[in-house]
Amino acid sequence: MPTNSTIPVRTDVAGSDFARLSKRIADAGLMARRPGYYTIRITAVASLYVGGWAAFVLVGRSWWTLAVAAFLAVVFGQVALVAHDIAHRQVFRLRRASEVSGRIAGNMGIGMGYGWWQDKHTRHHANPNHEDLDPDLDPDVLVWSRSQAREATGLPRLLGRRQAYLFFPLLTLEGFNLHISGVRALANPSLKGRRLEGVLLFAHFAAYLTALFLVLPPGMAVAFLALNQCLFGVYLGSIFAPNHKGMPILTGKERPDFLRRQVLTSRNVRGGWFTDLALGGLNHQIEHHLFPSMPSPHLRKAQVIVRGYCQELGVGYLETSLLASYRQALASLHDAGAPLRAVAEQEGSA
């Protein structure tokens, strides 16, 4: 799918389409909280987290510790998904409870700057796949459109020609990037609670590194760190890549009404309970973007209502397999890098 496809904008009844959908969702009871579900889910993830570190100590100075590193990478991803739901107020009604638990899971649990990430993610939800307004489309390493490619300098210009082939290898650095971005955000005076954010972040780093180098010899500790963080990054990237990459990109003043802005820039991924578990419910990305505070176990039920409603309106609703979503994302990245390949060819023939 072209990344800069034009999205039709309906102006005669702006906002009313989403209002009618919202009423159907509310009447179905799908915005109700699920305290029992989240109690079980958070308890399970916390138990796996503690169990993983207990296994790390028990395995000790053995190369089998790398299996623990891989296991903890998946657990870290699940902690990130829990923090995501907390940030969207799916778990707790009160803001204070959400902030405290979010910082415990994000900052202390996996070394993610919760306040920094929440601000970034909120801006993404407001303007998904908008070239100028969505922070997830910043061309800091990769270019996401041909227009970004034409203006690229530095690393994006260097990588852009072959970025589709480099995408998954680069995801091995995403865990490290998450930590670095959280630390860099501490220099921003507008970051809410940045002193607490910093204390919790560095407490995680200190505890993590102390555990590694106290239990393992240096070489093994470095190997554990590298495998754990690289697989964590790949897992996170594999969760988020199918959601919007390869979907239409908005530019300039192009701003459809809320329903179309969310539906037409998002992609769902087909699957059963295992897909829901592995992707944390974000495989129902369209429903999540329309109703971000909806508890994730309700998203599958909401999909039936949302898809039917979109058919009534004639609004495109895309759902693919996981592999197809990756193919579309990579094809979009390859297309975005076309201007850089053209320049390279011209320079080579000159």
Side-chain angles (χ1 to χ4, degrees):
M1 177 178 295
T3 57
N4 57 351
S5 300
T6 300
I7 293 181
V9 181
R10 185 174 177 180
T11 58
D12 55 338
V13 287
S16 61
D17 287 337
F18 176 71
R20 286 192 290 270
L21 173 62
S22 186
K23 186 177 186 305
R24 295 187 189 185
I25 292 293
D27 289 346
L30 297 179
M31 297 305 296
R33 298 190 181 278
R34 291 288 301 273
Y37 164 82
Y38 277 110
T39 298
I40 294 172
R41 179 176 167 186
I42 292 173
T43 299
V45 171
S47 298
L48 291 172
Y49 185 92
V50 173
W53 284 113
F56 166 76
V57 174
L58 290 174
V59 170
R61 297 182 169 221
S62 164
W63 285 107
W64 282 107
T65 194
L66 296 184
V68 179
F71 171 77
L72 279 172
V74 176
V75 175
F76 281 14
Q78 287 294 315
V79 172
L81 290 170
V82 168
H84 170 272
D85 285 10
I86 289 172
H88 280 297
R89 306 285 288 278
Q90 296 176 22
V91 183
F92 301 104
R93 180 175 60 85
L94 299 178
R95 182 181 299 275
R96 177 66 176 170
S98 297
E99 289 182 353
V100 170
S101 54
R103 283 197 165 94
I104 291 173
N107 294 61
M108 283 290 291
I110 58 176
M112 177 185 76
Y114 177 77
W116 157 78
W117 176 84
Q118 186 181 36
D119 173 72
K120 175 177 177 287
H121 194 62
T122 299
R123 288 185 286 125
H124 158 71
H125 265 265
N127 294 283
N129 258 30
H130 193 290
E131 192 172 56
D132 305 314
L133 302 175
D134 185 351
D136 288 351
L137 291 190
D138 287 345
D140 48 357
V141 177
L142 304 178
V143 292
W144 305 103
S145 68
R146 291 191 175 194
S147 62
Q148 288 183 347
R150 294 186 188 100
E151 299 175 2
T153 59
L155 196 58
R157 185 178 182 85
L158 177 65
L159 301 180
R161 288 176 292 173
R162 298 288 182 265
Q163 61 183 15
Y165 302 100
L166 296 171
F167 180 71
F168 280 104
L170 284 172
L171 287 183
T172 59
L173 303 177
E174 184 58 29
F176 298 103
N177 178 58
L178 198 69
H179 305 318
I180 293 170
S181 297
V183 172
R184 290 176 60 186
L186 297 175
N188 185 355
S190 65
L191 179 65
K192 183 179 178 181
R194 62 174 178 157
R195 180 173 298 179
L196 177 60
E197 185 108 331
V199 168
L200 295 178
L201 266 181
F202 285 104
H204 167 84
F205 298 148
Y208 181 89
L209 293 174
T210 299
L212 262 56
F213 286 93
L214 189 64
V215 173
L216 303 176
M220 199 175 288
V222 171
F224 183 101
L225 184 151
L227 183 65
N228 176 243
Q229 293 299 315
C230 288
L231 290 181
F232 173 45
V234 171
Y235 182 33
L236 278 185
S238 299
I239 291 172
F240 291 105
N243 300 340
H244 304 281
K245 305 311 179 189
M247 298 301 291
I249 290 180
L250 305 176
T251 58
K253 295 182 179 180
E254 190 178 6
R255 189 177 172 85
D257 64 79
F258 180 79
L259 183 142
R260 288 162 179 80
R261 187 162 75 247
Q262 304 298 339
V263 174
L264 296 174
T265 62
S266 303
R267 177 198 294 109
N268 275 17
V269 173
R270 288 192 295 269
W273 67 268
F274 181 78
T275 306
D276 286 355
L277 175 65
L279 302 186
L282 296 182
N283 43 311
H284 305 289
Q285 187 69 191
I286 294 173
E287 289 71 30
H288 170 62
H289 259 257
L290 287 169
F291 304 98
S293 62
M294 178 184 289
S296 57
H298 287 169
L299 293 171
R300 182 173 291 275
K301 296 178 181 178
Q303 181 182 24
V304 178
I305 298 174
V306 173
R307 183 166 49 196
Y309 187 69
C310 287
Q311 289 174 350
E312 292 176 22
L313 296 178
V315 174
Y317 181 105
L318 181 61
E319 183 179 35
T320 70
S321 68
L322 184 61
L323 289 179
S325 73
Y326 291 142
R327 284 197 297 268
Q328 291 172 11
L330 294 177
S332 171
L333 282 171
H334 188 69
D335 179 76
L340 293 173
R341 290 192 299 276
V343 170
E345 291 174 4
Q346 291 174 2
E347 292 175 349
S349 61

